[in-house]
Amino acid sequence: CAVAENKKLSLNIIPNTNNGNFFITLPDGSKYGAKISVFNTAGSKVHQKVVAENNTEYFLNLDHLPKGI
């Protein structure tokens, strides 16, 4: 996760292992907002979302994508 001035932050994915539906929780640094990108095993971007400032949790539904992403 990268935020203002490209500072790196950690995040949590819950549940970790999942069926394509999961929450990403962002730390306090999310006050700057974040861009979440998901890539497949070939390196192609399959999903991208900009998360608004002050949002500490984002729900991802990727069950429409092929398994193994």
Side-chain angles (χ1 to χ4, degrees):
C1 179
V3 294
E5 299 175 13
N6 293 324
K7 293 180 182 177
K8 301 290 181 182
L9 297 174
S10 62
L11 55 84
N12 294 312
I13 297 175
I14 304 167
N16 184 9
T17 325
N18 61 68
N19 62 359
N21 296 300
F22 54 94
F23 286 93
I24 295 178
T25 57
L26 304 167
D28 292 340
S30 63
K31 65 184 175 184
Y32 302 110
K35 179 170 61 174
I36 297 171
S37 299
V38 179
F39 297 85
N40 65 16
T41 55
S44 299
K45 189 183 303 179
V46 295
H47 181 83
Q48 182 170 303
K49 178 71 177 178
V50 175
V51 179
E53 295 177 6
N54 298 317
N55 190 354
T56 59
E57 189 171 79
Y58 176 69
F59 179 74
L60 268 175
N61 178 348
L62 301 177
D63 62 2
H64 62 284
L65 297 173
K67 297 195 183 302
I69 299 289

